[in-house]
Amino acid sequence: MISKPVILDVDPGHDDAVALMMACGTLELDLLAVTTVAGNVSLEKTTHNALRVLSLIDRTNIPVATGAARPLRREPYTAEYIHGESGLDGPVELPPPTFEPDERGAVTLIADTLRESVESVTLIPLGPLTNIAIFLREHPDLKNRIAHISLMGGSMGLGNTTPAAEFNIYVDPEAAREVFESGVPITMCGLDVTHAAGAGPKERERLRSIGETGPIVAGFLDFFAATYEKVFGFDAPPLHDPVAVAAVLDPTVLTTRRMRVDVECEGALTRGETVCDFHGVTGKPPNADVGIGLDRERFFEILYDALGGL
Ligand code: RIB
Ligand code: CA
């Protein structure tokens, strides 16, 4: 089997943690590097969490490099109200990390990884797009070494942070605009598809039974379920970030529609809205394949298989 080279850019966060574990468990992906960004919690905490998760599953050979501590222009905005103070609150306190971040920093690690990879690399950003925007600004010559970007972010409709904006885009709309306008092939895994990936009691029980990490994953999601119920009234926490990984493992898990996506950066009420031109009324060239449907059964099959490989 030829495994696909990927880089995950993360802000763990419970769903980022599960996405990291998926990417490590499956033989179909070759996780070359992990970069961290401020998002759900501060950069210090997202980095600590990424290191802890990879240490837990004995993947300390994968370099982790820290990226942006704040958005390109905006004030930092975090989501402890969803993920807890640590960013990975829950019934199980993960042991401390057993390795240190790579001293190169996120942008240099991405650049070096793209240069050294024989094949072009798929980027899977799962947090605010600050690192990806800075990388594209500083290394335009390496854009053609990116096979694809499968990002978790945006929404064709309602937001989850404001009525108009999804969290990852809301936090750094300028970065998101630069990524969507970069010309790199993008699959947008927005709330329209990730909200269909709710891990209810049945799914969490199945997860709990998968290998040694099952109880930890299920514990993450039990906490995530409680906060999603309290904050949003959801009966199951959406596995946002794992959808972006699943879309790389099996693109047929998503139904997508090619369309123009613009990011609102000026609106007082609509900052961070991904304005999706579903009917092509703007006449602007499409720049993303936007997820409009999720094969939920296939998604969970992919998730279980991937975690079963740990
Ligand atoms: O809106 C959900 C997204 O924001 C997920 O990636 C979650 O981890 C947070 O980063
Ligand atoms: Ca995330």
Side-chain angles (χ1 to χ4, degrees):
M1 171 193 308
I2 298 176
S3 55
K4 196 176 282 187
V6 299
I7 295 173
L8 264 65
D9 184 70
V10 295
D11 65 330
H14 296 78
D15 54 328
D16 300 72
V18 177
L20 270 173
M21 296 168 92
M22 271 177 90
C24 291
T26 176
L27 294 176
E28 295 174 49
L29 298 181
D30 180 7
L31 182 55
L32 299 177
V34 172
T35 51
T36 57
V37 65
N40 284 316
V41 287
S42 69
L43 177 66
E44 183 189 359
K45 291 179 182 176
T46 59
T47 303
H48 182 69
N49 290 337
L51 291 167
R52 289 200 289 172
V53 169
L54 292 175
S55 300
L56 176 80
I57 58 176
D58 294 327
R59 295 303 197 280
T60 56
N61 60 312
I62 298 172
V64 175
T66 60
R70 54 173 302 134
L72 293 180
R73 281 182 38 200
R74 309 281 175 156
E75 288 305 307
Y77 181 89
T78 51
E80 286 86 352
Y81 63 99
I82 296 284
H83 297 277
E85 273 311 303
S86 73
L88 273 184
D89 283 18
V92 175
E93 174 67 30
L94 292 191
T98 57
F99 69 123
E100 295 294 321
D102 188 297
E103 73 283 351
R104 282 174 284 182
V107 171
T108 303
L109 179 58
I110 295 172
D112 288 351
T113 305
L114 293 187
R115 282 194 198 94
E116 289 156 17
S117 175
V118 173
E119 284 180 68
S120 53
V121 178
T122 296
L123 302 186
I124 309 180
L126 304 176
L129 289 162
T130 318
N131 290 341
I132 310 303
I134 295 171
F135 167 76
L136 291 169
R137 282 181 177 182
E138 294 184 4
H139 298 280
D141 56 310
L142 292 174
K143 208 157 74 166
N144 63 357
R145 305 290 295 121
I146 303 171
H148 192 96
I149 291 178
S150 178
L151 65 89
M152 193 281 136
S155 166
M156 288 192 297
L158 298 176
N160 62 359
T161 303
T162 71
E166 177 278 326
F167 178 84
N168 288 335
I169 311 300
Y170 175 80
V171 169
D172 198 340
E174 286 74 19
R177 175 183 278 179
E178 291 186 20
V179 172
F180 276 98
E181 293 181 357
S182 67
V184 176
I186 290 172
T187 298
M188 180 180 117
C189 304
L191 299 179
D192 317 278
V193 290
T194 66
H195 278 171
K202 181 168 72 74
E203 290 77 18
R204 296 203 301 272
E205 281 325 298
R206 171 73 188 275
L207 286 165
R208 210 178 303 277
S209 69
I210 301 177
E212 287 176 30
T213 58
I216 291 172
V217 171
F220 282 160
L221 299 181
D222 288 339
F223 176 88
F224 203 35
T227 58
Y228 249 85
E229 201 282 323
K230 191 173 92 188
V231 175
F232 296 103
F234 277 34
D235 60 7
L239 294 184
H240 300 289
D241 295 335
V243 170
V245 174
V248 176
L249 283 167
D250 177 3
T252 69
V253 75
L254 285 186
T255 302
T256 61
R257 183 180 174 104
R258 189 144 184 77
M259 64 183 85
R260 176 75 189 189
V261 177
D262 287 301
V263 181
E264 174 59 64
C265 295
E266 282 73 40
L269 299 175
T270 52
R271 157 200 164 163
E273 179 176 5
T274 43
V275 182
C276 297
D277 185 5
F278 189 91
H279 297 295
V281 296
T282 64
K284 288 182 176 179
N287 57 353
D289 295 305
V290 175
I292 59 173
L294 178 76
D295 180 339
R296 179 182 156 80
E297 193 178 328
R298 177 66 185 127
F299 166 73
F300 278 101
E301 198 180 286
I302 294 167
L303 175 68
Y304 299 148
D305 285 353
L307 294 177
L310 287 175

